[in-house]
Amino acid sequence: AFWEAIGFRALGGRAVRVDMLERFSAEARRLAREGRFAASPPLLSLLGVGAAEATAILEALGYEAKTGPEGLVTFARARRARHPQAGRRHPPPPESPFAGLKALAG
């Protein structure tokens, strides 16, 4: 709470300025739309971190790191498991105002 109150976010073992984290995150999202990406010097310079620190931050942001045969670490958005109940519609609880609307709709 302290870090957030002064404009920082604790992420990947570091306290990062929120405005710089947003720029870093936006660039990572842009790169991820094109496929797997490496933590390039321009990306690292947004936060002033090294590759190891960037890996921890990107993983905390929901990216999956993968080390290739040459030792190059690349990132992609981690796939979230679909919840087994996702997409199923359940009737509203009887005390909900939506229950009355459902009864009217038939």
Side-chain angles (χ1 to χ4, degrees), residues 10 15 35 62 72 83:
L72 178 65
H83 189 278

Side-chain angles (χ1 to χ4, degrees), residues 24-41:
F24 179 84
S25 181
E27 181 64 10
R29 283 191 306 271
R30 185 189 71 74
L31 292 168
R33 280 193 296 272
E34 298 171 5
R36 294 195 75 80
F37 66 94
S40 64

